[in-house]
Every structure is written in structure tokens, then in C-alpha cells.
């Protein structure tokens, strides 16, 4: 059974209210998420250094090269298991993530073991920042208004790294990130002048434990 199969609209816990329009949906590219959120390249390098040190130390003790490699085999196995698990996690996180932009808010649905919904009304967004990468993807950082509380650990890996208080939601590893950022900026610009709209705090809820959209 798919934990998201009861969604009336993909990525949303309920049908959009009358007058609200979806303008974009997307998800992270899992290969980029593996590199930048789960740091598989850095961890691969770490294990490569450990293995080189292990083999080098054995060589200094005049051990046969084959025996030295066999002595480091446990590190090779541990590294392969670690990288495999992190890669699978990155794939699962990307597969279960849907970012939705409407003309009134951002909705982030994510989570592997515990599906979550984050609802960010544009009235609670002060700024956005775009980071480009050489692989053609980008991250969009959402700067929240003063007083809006959010949890870094609830948002992770969809949070700006090392910014704990206040935590900042982030749309990670997006293809065509510039186009998405332009649409997001336009939605905010079109919404914020309407001061008669009620403001809502940043909503977080576990899917299946109550609606996350308000």
C-alpha cells in the first residue's frame, strides 16, 4: 500500500480551495540530493583515505600486498554498505517529496517513515534566495518572516544547512531552478499586497494525523 495513495491531489492532503490555483509541482533530483544532502562523495572519499591508510600501514610492516588488501576488506565492505544505504535513502527521500507552488502558498510533502506536510503561506515569506550548481540544478531558500517558528529537524533535508534558529525551508536539487524561482517570486509579489487576506503560521503535521493545509 502506498502511504500517499489517499491524496485527492498528488502532493496535497485535500483539493485546493476555490480561487486557489496550482502553478508548479516538482521534486528533488535524487542523484544531486545524494551528493549535497547525504554527502555520499565526501563519505566515499573518507573511506578511500581510511583504506589507503590501512593498506599503507600494512605495507610499512612488510606485509604482502594481497594480505594488506585483505586486511582492509572490512573497510571496503563497511564503506560499500554505508554508501549504499545513503544512496537508497536519497532516492527514497526524493521519490516521496513533492513541492507544490500555488498562487497563495508553498506546500512541501516529504518523509519516508513518517510522511509530513509543511504549508508556507506567501504572507509569511520575507525573501527567497537561489543557488545554482554546475550540474544544472539549484536550491531555493525560503526566508520566513520574523516570529514564524519552524523546526530544522522536522524540515531536514529540506532545510538550509546549519541554519537552526530560525530554520529556513529549502527546495533542494531542482532542475530548472531559475524558472521555479521566477514563478515563486511572482506569486509572492502578486499575493503580499493583498492585506485583507488572513495570515497563517507555518503549519506542520504528520499526514494521516490531521490536515496540514489551512
Amino acid at each position: 500500500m502506498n502511504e500517499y495513495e489517499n491524496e485527492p491531489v498528488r502532493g496535497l492532503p485535500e483539493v485546493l480551495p476555490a480561487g486557489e490555483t496550482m502553478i508548479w509541482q516538482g521534486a528533488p533530483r535524487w542523484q544531486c540530493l545524494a551528493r549535497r544532502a547525504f554527502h555520499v562523495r565526501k563519505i566515499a572519499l573518507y573511506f578511500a583515505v581510511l583504506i589507503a591508510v590501512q593498506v599503507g600501514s600494512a605495507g610499512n610492516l612488510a606485509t604482502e600486498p594481497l594480505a594488506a588488501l585483505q586486511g582492509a576488506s572490512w573497510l571496503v565492505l563497511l564503506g560499500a554498505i554505508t554508501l549504499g544505504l545513503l544512496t537508497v535513502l536519497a532516492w527514497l527521500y526524493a521519490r516521496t517529496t513533492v513541492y507544490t507552488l500555488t498562487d497563495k502558498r508553498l506546500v512541501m510533502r516529504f518523509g519516508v517513515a513518517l510522511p509530513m506536510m509543511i504549508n508556507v503561506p506567501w504572507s509569511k515569506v520575507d525573501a527567497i534566495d537561489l543557488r545554482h550548481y554546475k550540474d544544472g540544478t539549484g536550491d531555493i531558500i525560503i526566508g520566513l518572516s520574523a516570529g514564524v517558528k519552524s523546526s530544522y529537524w522536522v524540515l531536514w533535508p529540506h532545510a538550509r544547512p546549519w541554519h537552526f534558529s530560525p530554520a529556513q525551508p529549502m527546495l533542494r536539487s531542482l532542475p530548472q531552478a531559475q524558472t521555479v524561482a521566477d514563478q515563486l517570486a511572482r506569486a509572492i509579489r502578486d499575493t503580499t499586497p493583498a492585506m485583507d487576506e488572513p495570515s497563517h503560521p507555518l503549519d506542520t503535521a504528520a499526514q494521516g494525523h490531521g490536515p496540514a493545509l489551512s
Side-chain angles (χ1 to χ4, degrees), residues 147-203:
V148 179
K149 303 297 183 181
S150 59
S151 168
Y152 183 90
W153 303 112
V154 169
L155 286 170
W156 192 90
H158 312 283
R160 185 179 183 182
W162 309 112
H163 284 70
F164 298 99
S165 183
Q168 296 179 329
M170 187 163 74
L171 281 62
R172 299 196 74 143
S173 303
L174 295 180
Q176 301 179 330
Q178 181 66 62
T179 301
V180 179
D182 290 343
Q183 291 176 310
L184 195 159
R186 191 178 305 113
I188 295 173
R189 186 170 57 248
D190 292 345
T191 301
T192 49
M195 299 304 294
D196 56 333
E197 290 290 331
S199 61
H200 303 280
L202 177 66
D203 295 324

Side-chain angles (χ1 to χ4, degrees), residues 3-183:
E3 63 267 36
Y4 303 117
E5 68 181 9
N6 293 323
E7 291 176 339
V9 179
R10 179 176 178 267
L12 300 173
E14 59 187 23
V15 177
L16 290 175
E20 184 171 2
T21 304
M22 183 188 302
I23 57 179
W24 176 84
Q25 269 195 340
R29 184 176 291 171
W30 75 265
Q31 298 93 331
C32 305
L33 195 66
R35 290 198 300 270
R36 294 199 286 270
F38 292 86
H39 305 290
V40 292
R41 284 184 174 176
K42 295 176 183 176
I43 293 172
L45 179 61
Y46 172 76
F47 275 103
V49 170
L50 288 182
I51 292 167
V53 170
Q54 176 74 13
V55 172
S57 298
N60 290 335
L61 296 175
T63 305
E64 291 293 329
L66 181 58
L69 290 173
Q70 289 175 341
S73 61
W74 68 274
L75 276 174
V76 174
L77 179 61
L78 179 60
I81 292 173
T82 301
L83 292 172
L85 288 174
L86 290 175
T87 300
V88 170
L89 278 175
W91 179 80
L92 287 172
Y93 268 93
R95 181 177 178 272
T96 56
T97 294
V98 179
Y99 302 132
T100 303
L101 302 185
T102 78
D103 55 354
K104 297 186 183 299
R105 56 187 165 175
L106 162 68
V107 182
M108 304 168 69
R109 182 261 270 168
F110 58 91
V112 177
L114 181 63
M116 301 291 294
M117 289 278 183
I118 305 283
N119 175 58
V120 187
W122 298 136
S123 59
K124 291 299 181 180
V125 175
D126 275 352
I128 61 172
D129 188 21
L130 173 62
R131 292 179 178 176
H132 287 290
Y133 296 95
K134 293 181 180 179
D135 58 16
T137 63
D139 298 333
I140 301 176
I141 301 165
I142 310 296
L144 301 176
S145 305
V148 179
K149 303 297 183 181
S150 59
S151 168
Y152 183 90
W153 303 112
V154 169
L155 286 170
W156 192 90
H158 312 283
R160 185 179 183 182
W162 309 112
H163 284 70
F164 298 99
S165 183
Q168 296 179 329
M170 187 163 74
L171 281 62
R172 299 196 74 143
S173 303
L174 295 180
Q176 301 179 330
Q178 181 66 62
T179 301
V180 179
D182 290 343
Q183 291 176 310

